[in-house]
Amino acid sequence: MIDHSTVQQILDAADIVDVVSDFVSLKRRGANWIGLCPFHNDRRPSFYVSRAKGICKCFACGEGGSAVNFIMKHEQLSYPEALRYLARKYHIEIQEKELTDEEKQAQSEREAMLMLNEWACDYFEKQLHETQAGQDIGLSYFKERGFNDATIREFRLGYSSEGYDDFYKAATAQGFNPQLLFDVGLCIPNERGGGHDRFRGRVMFPIMNIAGKVIAFGGRTLKKDKDVAKYVNSPESAIYSKRDVIYGLSQAKREISKQDKCFIVEGYADVISMHQAGFKNVIASSGTALTEGHIHAIRRFTGNVTEMFDGDAAGVKAAIRGVDMLLKEGLSIKVLPLPPEDDPDTFVRSHSYTEVEDYIKQNEEDFINFKAGVVLKDAKNDPIKRTAAITDVVKSIVIIPDEIARMVYAKECSNLFGIDEQTILRQIKQYRGKAIEQWRKERQQQQERQRRMEQMSSADAVPQPPAMPEELFEPQHPVDHVAAPAVPTVASSNGITVQEREVIRLIVNYGMCYLTDTRYEDGTVRPSTVLEHINNELTWDMMSFSDPLYRKTFEVAKQYIGSYYKDLERFRKGLDERVAQFVARESERLNQQEPEALDSAALINAQERIKNIVDAKAGVMAKNELQQFSSSYLTKVLCSLDDDDVRQLACDLVSDNLPQLSKIHTQYAVILEEQDKLLTLVPDRLYNWKNAILQQRINDTKSSIAHARPDELPQLMEHLQELYNLRHQLAAIIGDRVVNPK
Ligand SMILES: [Zn+2]
């Protein structure tokens, strides 16, 4: 479907840091980038991205891979879909044949639904901009609300006409299956076997996932009729789960990440108005209470959340209700009550950018303080109500994961309520004790259940006991956390498999790196790569990988030797040009800095010196770039293969190297360190492997000798001696590692 050269072009263009940054806020650490893992509920950055290696990896949950893997997993796309995604991102044209009807049907349900929604979104946009009713009703409504054209286009607002089944007819005429229209919720089936439109006579707000794909719609009626629901939303579907989606996140994510802060508002219009007013880090929970899914999504981009709400009594109550959830997840929460007559939409429209900014500065308040103020005001001087109010606030503090934050709040509470700080701390301790006790009980019960089930049937899978609630046992200081290196997952205790893995690891990581000059049988001397060297050695010794997956990976890698040399040629040409440009630029720069020469000898002298400096710099640049190209070539190819097993193995093997890298804060880090040692490392690992094979044969022979008949012994002893000799020879070749036979 996509030809090889296009795939290669896509892989070359896809910068892993750039691709991951669309979804995860990354910070530089040494040679790598780190961030919160999008694949599990990550509290401290466990997700590593290596630009040099072109891969990412979570050291907590193990997910990761190349840019293609990341997109496949994150966006739940198939392999070719992920490639198409990247091609679109990097403006690489893919020549594709039109889908046949059969292929359309064969598309997964999810992809079909996304395709339909994309088409529908486009349809509603056209209705808004290009039809009379759309302009008269929809567009004039948006303009009335102050939305400009750019904003309307950016949020892809649309209009759905009044007709009973206008959309249904248009979509089915386009070839979309009616069942799909019902599944995604755009239409509703009727008794006559047809269908009608869900969003009749409404302005349309498409709801997008983080990647910007339309997964649902919200439609607002413009009628004053009380019988008509003001807002209608798409029902839940295979692609839309209300619990996980935040409105506006795809438009806001970059700004949230940049400012390390986000504002939460209530409705679509609030998000859009604020965005247009210049506050682009704004999202909406769309009327539902915040869920863990929402928080998980927000936390990828920031840990700082400010909730904006209407300043009336109902708004305040609603604000307080949702916030405990955010605290529990370790987010830092502020609140921003607006004047009672305003919501975010009306507020930003009636004030200038600086006025709004000033208002935020002056009125943004820490949540705990805000809550304490509200409950105290309610309690007035009633002692019972006061006690209840204090307990209420303390309960909010109890769930904050960070101990230092809890202590700070306890102190503030003691000031606010005029109560001894120690009393509050005791109360906090007591509640946390209760929570931990509760968790212990639950765990005991579940272990008991598990034990009984295991007795009944040892084969059946049983649910795991609940994980220790992390928030109760967080370390006391938010240390600059470095994820523990993952334990290598070598399942077999067989020495041979371990050694094979090391060899295949070197191939995946450094396969195309230059290793040494090799004299071939025809007498020529050619430079050979790590992969070619290992291949020669294995051919010479008639060895191959015993592990089928390693063998397959090795075979696949060898297929790329030819294309590597071709691509290297191409890369060298580009590099020569870049080096020439660099030399010209740098010479000019240095010449300008040079003081005026007094005579021609001094001039020649100066030019000589400049030339030497520039040449040296250019040499280093060329060498580094070539090394980078060679060392990442095979890694990129293998980590992006269509074959799931080989790709997964390659990604695992590459990421074996990552944790060490992260601890070293220099730019050249350990990649170069291991790469520089290849000349000893590769023969050493091959030796270990051969030695492991010999050792096993020796063990086998020894055990044969133990059980042999007397007449078989001489031959076996001779065989054993041969093996010892071989091992000795092998050790002699490697030089520094003589092994004495016993
Ligand atoms: Zn993870």
Side-chain angles (χ1 to χ4, degrees), residues 144-174:
E144 226 170 84
R145 296 211 70 150
F147 298 169
N148 62 30
D149 275 331
T151 303
I152 291 171
R153 300 270 181 197
E154 181 170 6
F155 285 87
R156 304 191 66 184
L157 307 180
Y159 176 71
S160 174
S161 55
E162 281 280 0
Y164 173 77
D165 57 1
D166 289 351
F167 176 79
Y168 180 83
K169 277 191 205 143
T172 47
Q174 187 64 27

PDB file of all heavy atoms in Angstrom, residues 144-174:
ATOM      1  N   GLU A 144     -22.687  37.022  16.618  1.00  0.00           N
ATOM      2  CA  GLU A 144     -23.294  37.707  17.753  1.00  0.00           C
ATOM      3  C   GLU A 144     -22.507  37.436  19.036  1.00  0.00           C
ATOM      4  O   GLU A 144     -22.354  38.293  19.894  1.00  0.00           O
ATOM      5  CB  GLU A 144     -24.708  37.162  17.936  1.00  0.00           C
ATOM      6  CG  GLU A 144     -25.792  38.188  18.151  1.00  0.00           C
ATOM      7  CD  GLU A 144     -27.138  37.485  18.055  1.00  0.00           C
ATOM      8  OE1 GLU A 144     -27.557  36.924  19.078  1.00  0.00           O
ATOM      9  OE2 GLU A 144     -27.710  37.445  16.945  1.00  0.00           O
ATOM     10  N   ARG A 145     -22.026  36.203  19.127  1.00  0.00           N
ATOM     11  CA  ARG A 145     -21.229  35.855  20.307  1.00  0.00           C
ATOM     12  C   ARG A 145     -19.817  36.404  20.230  1.00  0.00           C
ATOM     13  O   ARG A 145     -19.018  36.211  21.128  1.00  0.00           O
ATOM     14  CB  ARG A 145     -21.141  34.333  20.452  1.00  0.00           C
ATOM     15  CG  ARG A 145     -22.476  33.687  20.713  1.00  0.00           C
ATOM     16  CD  ARG A 145     -22.328  32.464  21.547  1.00  0.00           C
ATOM     17  NE  ARG A 145     -21.939  32.805  22.919  1.00  0.00           N
ATOM     18  CZ  ARG A 145     -22.276  32.083  23.979  1.00  0.00           C
ATOM     19  NH1 ARG A 145     -22.991  30.995  23.832  1.00  0.00           N
ATOM     20  NH2 ARG A 145     -21.880  32.431  25.169  1.00  0.00           N
ATOM     21  N   GLY A 146     -19.512  37.040  19.101  1.00  0.00           N
ATOM     22  CA  GLY A 146     -18.209  37.686  18.985  1.00  0.00           C
ATOM     23  C   GLY A 146     -17.118  36.799  18.425  1.00  0.00           C
ATOM     24  O   GLY A 146     -15.948  37.160  18.441  1.00  0.00           O
ATOM     25  N   PHE A 147     -17.468  35.595  17.945  1.00  0.00           N
ATOM     26  CA  PHE A 147     -16.423  34.739  17.375  1.00  0.00           C
ATOM     27  C   PHE A 147     -16.026  35.263  16.001  1.00  0.00           C
ATOM     28  O   PHE A 147     -16.882  35.527  15.165  1.00  0.00           O
ATOM     29  CB  PHE A 147     -16.926  33.292  17.194  1.00  0.00           C
ATOM     30  CG  PHE A 147     -17.310  32.605  18.473  1.00  0.00           C
ATOM     31  CD1 PHE A 147     -17.997  31.399  18.445  1.00  0.00           C
ATOM     32  CD2 PHE A 147     -16.992  33.161  19.710  1.00  0.00           C
ATOM     33  CE1 PHE A 147     -18.358  30.755  19.615  1.00  0.00           C
ATOM     34  CE2 PHE A 147     -17.350  32.528  20.892  1.00  0.00           C
ATOM     35  CZ  PHE A 147     -18.048  31.322  20.843  1.00  0.00           C
ATOM     36  N   ASN A 148     -14.724  35.398  15.748  1.00  0.00           N
ATOM     37  CA  ASN A 148     -14.301  35.822  14.411  1.00  0.00           C
ATOM     38  C   ASN A 148     -14.081  34.611  13.499  1.00  0.00           C
ATOM     39  O   ASN A 148     -14.147  33.464  13.954  1.00  0.00           O
ATOM     40  CB  ASN A 148     -13.062  36.718  14.481  1.00  0.00           C
ATOM     41  CG  ASN A 148     -11.862  35.995  15.069  1.00  0.00           C
ATOM     42  OD1 ASN A 148     -11.731  34.770  14.913  1.00  0.00           O
ATOM     43  ND2 ASN A 148     -10.993  36.728  15.739  1.00  0.00           N
ATOM     44  N   ASP A 149     -13.817  34.885  12.228  1.00  0.00           N
ATOM     45  CA  ASP A 149     -13.715  33.805  11.241  1.00  0.00           C
ATOM     46  C   ASP A 149     -12.616  32.802  11.591  1.00  0.00           C
ATOM     47  O   ASP A 149     -12.817  31.594  11.514  1.00  0.00           O
ATOM     48  CB  ASP A 149     -13.450  34.378   9.841  1.00  0.00           C
ATOM     49  CG  ASP A 149     -14.755  34.778   9.170  1.00  0.00           C
ATOM     50  OD1 ASP A 149     -15.779  34.129   9.496  1.00  0.00           O
ATOM     51  OD2 ASP A 149     -14.748  35.702   8.352  1.00  0.00           O
ATOM     52  N   ALA A 150     -11.461  33.335  11.993  1.00  0.00           N
ATOM     53  CA  ALA A 150     -10.334  32.446  12.286  1.00  0.00           C
ATOM     54  C   ALA A 150     -10.710  31.485  13.418  1.00  0.00           C
ATOM     55  O   ALA A 150     -10.408  30.290  13.371  1.00  0.00           O
ATOM     56  CB  ALA A 150      -9.109  33.269  12.675  1.00  0.00           C
ATOM     57  N   THR A 151     -11.387  32.006  14.416  1.00  0.00           N
ATOM     58  CA  THR A 151     -11.791  31.171  15.553  1.00  0.00           C
ATOM     59  C   THR A 151     -12.800  30.115  15.116  1.00  0.00           C
ATOM     60  O   THR A 151     -12.697  28.942  15.480  1.00  0.00           O
ATOM     61  CB  THR A 151     -12.407  32.060  16.656  1.00  0.00           C
ATOM     62  OG1 THR A 151     -11.444  33.038  17.015  1.00  0.00           O
ATOM     63  CG2 THR A 151     -12.796  31.244  17.855  1.00  0.00           C
ATOM     64  N   ILE A 152     -13.770  30.541  14.312  1.00  0.00           N
ATOM     65  CA  ILE A 152     -14.796  29.602  13.837  1.00  0.00           C
ATOM     66  C   ILE A 152     -14.151  28.461  13.046  1.00  0.00           C
ATOM     67  O   ILE A 152     -14.499  27.300  13.208  1.00  0.00           O
ATOM     68  CB  ILE A 152     -15.843  30.350  12.976  1.00  0.00           C
ATOM     69  CG1 ILE A 152     -16.650  31.288  13.879  1.00  0.00           C
ATOM     70  CG2 ILE A 152     -16.750  29.377  12.240  1.00  0.00           C
ATOM     71  CD1 ILE A 152     -17.570  32.239  13.137  1.00  0.00           C
ATOM     72  N   ARG A 153     -13.147  28.821  12.235  1.00  0.00           N
ATOM     73  CA  ARG A 153     -12.448  27.793  11.452  1.00  0.00           C
ATOM     74  C   ARG A 153     -11.593  26.910  12.364  1.00  0.00           C
ATOM     75  O   ARG A 153     -11.525  25.710  12.193  1.00  0.00           O
ATOM     76  CB  ARG A 153     -11.534  28.436  10.397  1.00  0.00           C
ATOM     77  CG  ARG A 153     -12.268  29.305   9.404  1.00  0.00           C
ATOM     78  CD  ARG A 153     -12.724  28.520   8.195  1.00  0.00           C
ATOM     79  NE  ARG A 153     -13.405  29.434   7.267  1.00  0.00           N
ATOM     80  CZ  ARG A 153     -14.187  29.029   6.292  1.00  0.00           C
ATOM     81  NH1 ARG A 153     -14.399  27.734   6.091  1.00  0.00           N
ATOM     82  NH2 ARG A 153     -14.776  29.894   5.502  1.00  0.00           N
ATOM     83  N   GLU A 154     -10.918  27.526  13.304  1.00  0.00           N
ATOM     84  CA  GLU A 154     -10.011  26.746  14.147  1.00  0.00           C
ATOM     85  C   GLU A 154     -10.770  25.700  14.968  1.00  0.00           C
ATOM     86  O   GLU A 154     -10.329  24.566  15.106  1.00  0.00           O
ATOM     87  CB  GLU A 154      -9.209  27.659  15.087  1.00  0.00           C
ATOM     88  CG  GLU A 154      -8.254  26.841  15.947  1.00  0.00           C
ATOM     89  CD  GLU A 154      -7.252  27.662  16.728  1.00  0.00           C
ATOM     90  OE1 GLU A 154      -7.341  28.900  16.710  1.00  0.00           O
ATOM     91  OE2 GLU A 154      -6.386  27.035  17.360  1.00  0.00           O
ATOM     92  N   PHE A 155     -11.909  26.093  15.515  1.00  0.00           N
ATOM     93  CA  PHE A 155     -12.683  25.137  16.313  1.00  0.00           C
ATOM     94  C   PHE A 155     -13.667  24.340  15.455  1.00  0.00           C
ATOM     95  O   PHE A 155     -14.429  23.548  15.956  1.00  0.00           O
ATOM     96  CB  PHE A 155     -13.395  25.855  17.456  1.00  0.00           C
ATOM     97  CG  PHE A 155     -12.451  26.237  18.564  1.00  0.00           C
ATOM     98  CD1 PHE A 155     -11.754  27.431  18.529  1.00  0.00           C
ATOM     99  CD2 PHE A 155     -12.235  25.361  19.620  1.00  0.00           C
ATOM    100  CE1 PHE A 155     -10.859  27.756  19.533  1.00  0.00           C
ATOM    101  CE2 PHE A 155     -11.343  25.683  20.636  1.00  0.00           C
ATOM    102  CZ  PHE A 155     -10.649  26.882  20.594  1.00  0.00           C
ATOM    103  N   ARG A 156     -13.627  24.598  14.164  1.00  0.00           N
ATOM    104  CA  ARG A 156     -14.399  23.871  13.160  1.00  0.00           C
ATOM    105  C   ARG A 156     -15.891  23.863  13.460  1.00  0.00           C
ATOM    106  O   ARG A 156     -16.556  22.824  13.368  1.00  0.00           O
ATOM    107  CB  ARG A 156     -13.863  22.442  13.008  1.00  0.00           C
ATOM    108  CG  ARG A 156     -12.383  22.403  12.658  1.00  0.00           C
ATOM    109  CD  ARG A 156     -11.926  21.040  12.252  1.00  0.00           C
ATOM    110  NE  ARG A 156     -12.553  20.604  11.000  1.00  0.00           N
ATOM    111  CZ  ARG A 156     -12.377  19.398  10.469  1.00  0.00           C
ATOM    112  NH1 ARG A 156     -11.607  18.522  11.080  1.00  0.00           N
ATOM    113  NH2 ARG A 156     -12.960  19.061   9.346  1.00  0.00           N
ATOM    114  N   LEU A 157     -16.398  25.028  13.844  1.00  0.00           N
ATOM    115  CA  LEU A 157     -17.810  25.134  14.176  1.00  0.00           C
ATOM    116  C   LEU A 157     -18.651  24.954  12.922  1.00  0.00           C
ATOM    117  O   LEU A 157     -18.207  25.274  11.823  1.00  0.00           O
ATOM    118  CB  LEU A 157     -18.086  26.498  14.818  1.00  0.00           C
ATOM    119  CG  LEU A 157     -17.186  26.825  16.010  1.00  0.00           C
ATOM    120  CD1 LEU A 157     -17.516  28.199  16.586  1.00  0.00           C
ATOM    121  CD2 LEU A 157     -17.322  25.757  17.099  1.00  0.00           C
ATOM    122  N   GLY A 158     -19.854  24.437  13.109  1.00  0.00           N
ATOM    123  CA  GLY A 158     -20.680  24.153  11.948  1.00  0.00           C
ATOM    124  C   GLY A 158     -22.160  24.379  12.215  1.00  0.00           C
ATOM    125  O   GLY A 158     -22.547  24.906  13.263  1.00  0.00           O
ATOM    126  N   TYR A 159     -22.958  23.982  11.233  1.00  0.00           N
ATOM    127  CA  TYR A 159     -24.408  24.128  11.364  1.00  0.00           C
ATOM    128  C   TYR A 159     -25.095  22.898  10.767  1.00  0.00           C
ATOM    129  O   TYR A 159     -24.702  22.410   9.712  1.00  0.00           O
ATOM    130  CB  TYR A 159     -24.875  25.403  10.645  1.00  0.00           C
ATOM    131  CG  TYR A 159     -26.373  25.584  10.660  1.00  0.00           C
ATOM    132  CD1 TYR A 159     -27.029  25.924  11.855  1.00  0.00           C
ATOM    133  CD2 TYR A 159     -27.135  25.406   9.506  1.00  0.00           C
ATOM    134  CE1 TYR A 159     -28.409  26.086  11.881  1.00  0.00           C
ATOM    135  CE2 TYR A 159     -28.516  25.568   9.526  1.00  0.00           C
ATOM    136  CZ  TYR A 159     -29.151  25.910  10.723  1.00  0.00           C
ATOM    137  OH  TYR A 159     -30.513  26.051  10.754  1.00  0.00           O
ATOM    138  N   SER A 160     -26.099  22.409  11.482  1.00  0.00           N
ATOM    139  CA  SER A 160     -26.877  21.282  10.970  1.00  0.00           C
ATOM    140  C   SER A 160     -28.286  21.776  10.659  1.00  0.00           C
ATOM    141  O   SER A 160     -28.939  22.367  11.522  1.00  0.00           O
ATOM    142  CB  SER A 160     -26.915  20.162  12.016  1.00  0.00           C
ATOM    143  OG  SER A 160     -27.771  19.133  11.597  1.00  0.00           O
ATOM    144  N   SER A 161     -28.737  21.542   9.433  1.00  0.00           N
ATOM    145  CA  SER A 161     -29.989  22.165   8.984  1.00  0.00           C
ATOM    146  C   SER A 161     -31.218  21.586   9.673  1.00  0.00           C
ATOM    147  O   SER A 161     -31.155  20.550  10.320  1.00  0.00           O
ATOM    148  CB  SER A 161     -30.104  22.022   7.469  1.00  0.00           C
ATOM    149  OG  SER A 161     -29.992  20.648   7.132  1.00  0.00           O
ATOM    150  N   GLU A 162     -32.343  22.273   9.468  1.00  0.00           N
ATOM    151  CA  GLU A 162     -33.612  21.939  10.124  1.00  0.00           C
ATOM    152  C   GLU A 162     -34.234  20.631   9.646  1.00  0.00           C
ATOM    153  O   GLU A 162     -35.013  20.017  10.351  1.00  0.00           O
ATOM    154  CB  GLU A 162     -34.628  23.059   9.839  1.00  0.00           C
ATOM    155  CG  GLU A 162     -34.464  24.288  10.694  1.00  0.00           C
ATOM    156  CD  GLU A 162     -35.066  24.109  12.087  1.00  0.00           C
ATOM    157  OE1 GLU A 162     -35.605  23.017  12.361  1.00  0.00           O
ATOM    158  OE2 GLU A 162     -34.982  25.049  12.869  1.00  0.00           O
ATOM    159  N   GLY A 163     -33.913  20.235   8.413  1.00  0.00           N
ATOM    160  CA  GLY A 163     -34.608  19.118   7.786  1.00  0.00           C
ATOM    161  C   GLY A 163     -34.601  17.836   8.614  1.00  0.00           C
ATOM    162  O   GLY A 163     -33.689  17.625   9.419  1.00  0.00           O
ATOM    163  N   TYR A 164     -35.599  16.985   8.373  1.00  0.00           N
ATOM    164  CA  TYR A 164     -35.757  15.758   9.142  1.00  0.00           C
ATOM    165  C   TYR A 164     -34.570  14.810   8.952  1.00  0.00           C
ATOM    166  O   TYR A 164     -34.068  14.230   9.893  1.00  0.00           O
ATOM    167  CB  TYR A 164     -37.056  15.086   8.686  1.00  0.00           C
ATOM    168  CG  TYR A 164     -37.311  13.696   9.266  1.00  0.00           C
ATOM    169  CD1 TYR A 164     -37.767  13.549  10.575  1.00  0.00           C
ATOM    170  CD2 TYR A 164     -37.104  12.558   8.474  1.00  0.00           C
ATOM    171  CE1 TYR A 164     -38.017  12.283  11.091  1.00  0.00           C
ATOM    172  CE2 TYR A 164     -37.354  11.289   8.992  1.00  0.00           C
ATOM    173  CZ  TYR A 164     -37.795  11.156  10.294  1.00  0.00           C
ATOM    174  OH  TYR A 164     -38.037   9.915  10.796  1.00  0.00           O
ATOM    175  N   ASP A 165     -34.108  14.671   7.712  1.00  0.00           N
ATOM    176  CA  ASP A 165     -33.035  13.700   7.443  1.00  0.00           C
ATOM    177  C   ASP A 165     -32.039  14.202   6.396  1.00  0.00           C
ATOM    178  O   ASP A 165     -31.504  13.426   5.617  1.00  0.00           O
ATOM    179  CB  ASP A 165     -33.635  12.357   7.018  1.00  0.00           C
ATOM    180  CG  ASP A 165     -34.535  12.498   5.792  1.00  0.00           C
ATOM    181  OD1 ASP A 165     -34.669  13.632   5.285  1.00  0.00           O
ATOM    182  OD2 ASP A 165     -35.089  11.486   5.340  1.00  0.00           O
ATOM    183  N   ASP A 166     -31.784  15.502   6.392  1.00  0.00           N
ATOM    184  CA  ASP A 166     -30.843  16.075   5.408  1.00  0.00           C
ATOM    185  C   ASP A 166     -29.475  15.405   5.495  1.00  0.00           C
ATOM    186  O   ASP A 166     -28.893  14.997   4.493  1.00  0.00           O
ATOM    187  CB  ASP A 166     -30.659  17.586   5.649  1.00  0.00           C
ATOM    188  CG  ASP A 166     -31.895  18.369   5.268  1.00  0.00           C
ATOM    189  OD1 ASP A 166     -32.811  17.752   4.665  1.00  0.00           O
ATOM    190  OD2 ASP A 166     -31.955  19.574   5.568  1.00  0.00           O
ATOM    191  N   PHE A 167     -28.971  15.296   6.724  1.00  0.00           N
ATOM    192  CA  PHE A 167     -27.639  14.720   6.889  1.00  0.00           C
ATOM    193  C   PHE A 167     -27.650  13.232   6.549  1.00  0.00           C
ATOM    194  O   PHE A 167     -26.751  12.729   5.871  1.00  0.00           O
ATOM    195  CB  PHE A 167     -27.123  14.927   8.317  1.00  0.00           C
ATOM    196  CG  PHE A 167     -25.793  14.266   8.554  1.00  0.00           C
ATOM    197  CD1 PHE A 167     -24.618  14.853   8.108  1.00  0.00           C
ATOM    198  CD2 PHE A 167     -25.711  13.030   9.185  1.00  0.00           C
ATOM    199  CE1 PHE A 167     -23.393  14.234   8.284  1.00  0.00           C
ATOM    200  CE2 PHE A 167     -24.491  12.400   9.371  1.00  0.00           C
ATOM    201  CZ  PHE A 167     -23.327  13.007   8.915  1.00  0.00           C
ATOM    202  N   TYR A 168     -28.691  12.550   7.027  1.00  0.00           N
ATOM    203  CA  TYR A 168     -28.810  11.109   6.758  1.00  0.00           C
ATOM    204  C   TYR A 168     -28.733  10.837   5.256  1.00  0.00           C
ATOM    205  O   TYR A 168     -27.984   9.981   4.795  1.00  0.00           O
ATOM    206  CB  TYR A 168     -30.126  10.588   7.338  1.00  0.00           C
ATOM    207  CG  TYR A 168     -30.351   9.105   7.124  1.00  0.00           C
ATOM    208  CD1 TYR A 168     -29.782   8.180   7.999  1.00  0.00           C
ATOM    209  CD2 TYR A 168     -31.121   8.633   6.052  1.00  0.00           C
ATOM    210  CE1 TYR A 168     -29.968   6.825   7.815  1.00  0.00           C
ATOM    211  CE2 TYR A 168     -31.304   7.273   5.854  1.00  0.00           C
ATOM    212  CZ  TYR A 168     -30.738   6.370   6.731  1.00  0.00           C
ATOM    213  OH  TYR A 168     -30.918   5.026   6.542  1.00  0.00           O
ATOM    214  N   LYS A 169     -29.489  11.626   4.503  1.00  0.00           N
ATOM    215  CA  LYS A 169     -29.511  11.428   3.047  1.00  0.00           C
ATOM    216  C   LYS A 169     -28.143  11.702   2.438  1.00  0.00           C
ATOM    217  O   LYS A 169     -27.644  10.942   1.608  1.00  0.00           O
ATOM    218  CB  LYS A 169     -30.553  12.361   2.411  1.00  0.00           C
ATOM    219  CG  LYS A 169     -31.966  11.817   2.448  1.00  0.00           C
ATOM    220  CD  LYS A 169     -32.837  12.696   1.568  1.00  0.00           C
ATOM    221  CE  LYS A 169     -34.286  12.641   2.006  1.00  0.00           C
ATOM    222  NZ  LYS A 169     -34.943  13.945   1.874  1.00  0.00           N
ATOM    223  N   ALA A 170     -27.534  12.796   2.858  1.00  0.00           N
ATOM    224  CA  ALA A 170     -26.237  13.172   2.278  1.00  0.00           C
ATOM    225  C   ALA A 170     -25.170  12.118   2.589  1.00  0.00           C
ATOM    226  O   ALA A 170     -24.384  11.742   1.719  1.00  0.00           O
ATOM    227  CB  ALA A 170     -25.796  14.531   2.820  1.00  0.00           C
ATOM    228  N   ALA A 171     -25.183  11.626   3.819  1.00  0.00           N
ATOM    229  CA  ALA A 171     -24.143  10.665   4.229  1.00  0.00           C
ATOM    230  C   ALA A 171     -24.329   9.322   3.539  1.00  0.00           C
ATOM    231  O   ALA A 171     -23.360   8.707   3.089  1.00  0.00           O
ATOM    232  CB  ALA A 171     -24.150  10.501   5.745  1.00  0.00           C
ATOM    233  N   THR A 172     -25.588   8.858   3.442  1.00  0.00           N
ATOM    234  CA  THR A 172     -25.797   7.572   2.779  1.00  0.00           C
ATOM    235  C   THR A 172     -25.505   7.695   1.282  1.00  0.00           C
ATOM    236  O   THR A 172     -24.955   6.780   0.672  1.00  0.00           O
ATOM    237  CB  THR A 172     -27.226   7.033   3.005  1.00  0.00           C
ATOM    238  OG1 THR A 172     -28.158   8.089   2.771  1.00  0.00           O
ATOM    239  CG2 THR A 172     -27.402   6.499   4.415  1.00  0.00           C
ATOM    240  N   ALA A 173     -25.834   8.867   0.710  1.00  0.00           N
ATOM    241  CA  ALA A 173     -25.511   9.074  -0.707  1.00  0.00           C
ATOM    242  C   ALA A 173     -23.991   9.025  -0.916  1.00  0.00           C
ATOM    243  O   ALA A 173     -23.506   8.632  -1.967  1.00  0.00           O
ATOM    244  CB  ALA A 173     -26.064  10.418  -1.188  1.00  0.00           C
ATOM    245  N   GLN A 174     -23.256   9.433   0.093  1.00  0.00           N
ATOM    246  CA  GLN A 174     -21.794   9.419   0.015  1.00  0.00           C
ATOM    247  C   GLN A 174     -21.239   8.007   0.165  1.00  0.00           C
ATOM    248  O   GLN A 174     -20.065   7.762  -0.064  1.00  0.00           O
ATOM    249  CB  GLN A 174     -21.246  10.330   1.121  1.00  0.00           C
ATOM    250  CG  GLN A 174     -19.753  10.573   1.093  1.00  0.00           C
ATOM    251  CD  GLN A 174     -19.308  11.322  -0.163  1.00  0.00           C
ATOM    252  OE1 GLN A 174     -20.080  12.065  -0.746  1.00  0.00           O
ATOM    253  NE2 GLN A 174     -18.086  11.078  -0.584  1.00  0.00           N
TER     254      GLN A 174
END
